[in-house]
Amino acid sequence: MVVTLIVACEVGFWVLLAAGLTLRYGCRMPRTGAAVLLLEPLLELALLIVTAIDLRGGATADWKHGLAAVYIGYTVAYGHYTIRWADGHVAHRFGGAPRPPKPPRHGMARARHEGKLWLRTVAMGAVAAGLLQLAVWYVGDGDTATLRGWQLTMVRLVAIHGVIALSYLLWPKKAPAGEPEAARPPKVLR
């Protein structure tokens, strides 16, 4: 049941995103589109509630409950970023907005970009680990080894992404000859 709900939440995320952006740009209803986009967190709230009910109902804490926590953590950390990315591209394609800037490809600008992404991964790991710890306390004396294993997986994931982000700082990729190293990309105001 939990895995089905995780899949439903992921599908729901993209359906709400498409509906919100369609209303915003296709139907010229920006407030209605924004309201639909604001429904996104309700999906994660539903997943959290169903996972808690499943655990309280006596289900053995297993990989599904850990995956639910990681999914919620990912959505908290990267959900807004994804929505903003999609909104920028749809606004350009259908709303007459300027093309959204691409991430920097070279030098310190790329290192800053990767560092910001790593901070999102840290936030994802913190949310997931926190939810997993709450689940451990919620289960109590039951078998929580799987949940603790997911916590360790989150620590590994944050560490691996940290090493990758750090590599951009320690060994920055140089811009090709004749191409200046890009400064910070221009911000698009909406």
Side-chain angles (χ1 to χ4, degrees):
M1 178 165 111
V2 174
V3 173
T4 304
L5 188 58
I6 292 170
V7 171
C9 284
E10 180 64 18
V11 170
F13 175 86
W14 292 104
V15 167
L16 283 175
L17 181 61
L21 294 175
T22 299
L23 286 168
R24 192 168 185 169
Y25 298 105
C27 300
R28 304 282 186 230
M29 301 169 65
R31 287 188 179 174
T32 306
V36 169
L37 292 174
L38 289 174
L39 294 175
E40 298 277 1
L42 294 178
L43 295 171
E44 282 66 40
L45 182 61
L47 179 60
L48 181 63
I49 290 169
V50 168
T51 303
I53 290 170
D54 191 44
L55 286 172
R56 182 50 76 183
T60 302
D62 61 6
W63 67 272
K64 298 176 288 209
H65 302 100
L67 182 61
V70 172
Y71 178 80
I72 292 170
Y74 179 85
T75 304
V76 167
Y78 283 95
H80 183 262
Y81 179 80
T82 304
I83 291 170
R84 193 177 57 203
W85 174 85
D87 184 53
H89 286 280
V90 172
H92 169 66
R93 179 82 169 107
F94 300 108
R99 180 181 293 275
K102 291 183 179 183
R105 296 176 43 183
H106 309 97
M108 291 308 294
R110 178 62 186 238
R112 276 190 298 277
H113 174 74
E114 292 297 328
K116 289 177 184 177
L117 289 179
W118 177 72
L119 290 175
R120 287 187 184 281
T121 301
V122 169
M124 176 190 77
V127 169
L131 288 173
L132 289 163
Q133 187 59 47
L134 288 173
V136 166
W137 291 333
Y138 194 64
V139 170
D141 294 333
D143 182 19
T144 59
T146 303
L147 299 177
R148 296 211 181 271
W150 274 101
Q151 285 178 318
L152 185 58
T153 299
M154 294 314 302
V155 169
R156 286 184 193 128
L157 182 90
V158 168
I160 290 168
H161 192 178
V163 168
I164 292 168
L166 186 62
S167 72
Y168 284 95
L169 181 65
L170 297 177
W171 300 286
K173 185 176 178 183
K174 301 211 184 301
E179 183 180 324
E181 183 178 318
R184 291 184 184 191
K187 297 211 179 222
V188 177
L189 300 175
R190 285 187 242 276

